[in-house]
Amino acid sequence: MLLADVRTAAPGDAAAISRLLAEALREDYAGLLGEMRVRRLVADHCSLPRIRAEIGIPGGAPAWLGWLVAADADGTVVGAVSGGVPLPAEGEVYALCTAPDRRRRGVGTALLAAVGERMRAQGAASQRITLPAEGAPALPFFTHHGFTALSPVRLGRSL
């Protein structure tokens, strides 16, 4: 896969983000959290109206820096990340997902770097993420990128 770019999400990307995020939650957490909790996570965080509304929020407000998407060379959205700086100097990754068939190809790394740059531009000196469960499949990805455990489900690193 040739990753063409990481860019700010546009309104037309909402369906792809919603689908990718729901797919990742179902695939990664069904065994850990159970079907009902995963359904609730998907309903709460992946609804198309919610994603559309979030894309429509102007970027630059520190608590919400928006959605970024990674697209391959033909323009297909293969990953997405959202984040903000809700506390002084502390960035928060709200969601990060990649298409299951595009994992381990640099998509997540590119998205994490791009959201980190936006956070630094808003004064963040550190970055945090809360995972949906202990033993989350994403844990090795984040520890590989310098995150350490702050609690069983919360990780952080310096930017």
Side-chain angles (χ1 to χ4, degrees):
M1 175 206 73
L2 178 60
L3 186 62
D5 68 325
V6 173
R7 59 176 171 75
T8 300
D13 297 321
I17 294 169
S18 174
R19 179 185 47 78
L20 283 173
L21 188 55
E23 190 175 77
L25 286 169
R26 287 183 188 112
E27 182 170 307
D28 293 346
Y29 293 99
L32 276 173
L33 300 175
E35 185 178 337
M36 291 305 292
R37 186 146 176 233
V38 169
R39 280 187 188 181
R40 200 169 345 171
L41 279 172
V42 169
D44 290 346
H45 300 285
C46 307
S47 76
L48 190 52
R50 176 186 175 146
I51 302 295
R52 281 187 180 134
E54 290 174 346
I55 289 172
I57 297 170
W64 175 250
L65 297 176
W67 282 97
L68 301 174
V69 294
D72 65 14
D74 71 2
T76 303
V77 173
V78 295
V81 64
S82 66
V85 184
L87 299 172
E90 189 175 302
E92 184 77 24
V93 177
Y94 298 126
L96 186 137
C97 62
T98 60
D101 65 338
R102 303 296 174 94
R103 291 182 179 168
R104 299 183 181 267
R105 297 184 186 183
V107 175
T109 298
L111 288 164
L112 188 60
V115 79
E117 286 179 30
R118 283 194 174 193
M119 290 172 181
R120 275 192 293 279
Q122 291 293 328
S126 64
Q127 193 174 49
R128 308 278 188 262
I129 187 164
T130 300
L131 301 173
E134 287 185 50
L139 187 58
F141 169 82
F142 287 107
T143 56
H144 173 77
H145 289 285
F147 285 79
T148 58
L150 302 173
S151 77
V153 296
R154 189 138 170 84
L155 309 172
R157 72 172 180 173
S158 295
L159 283 175

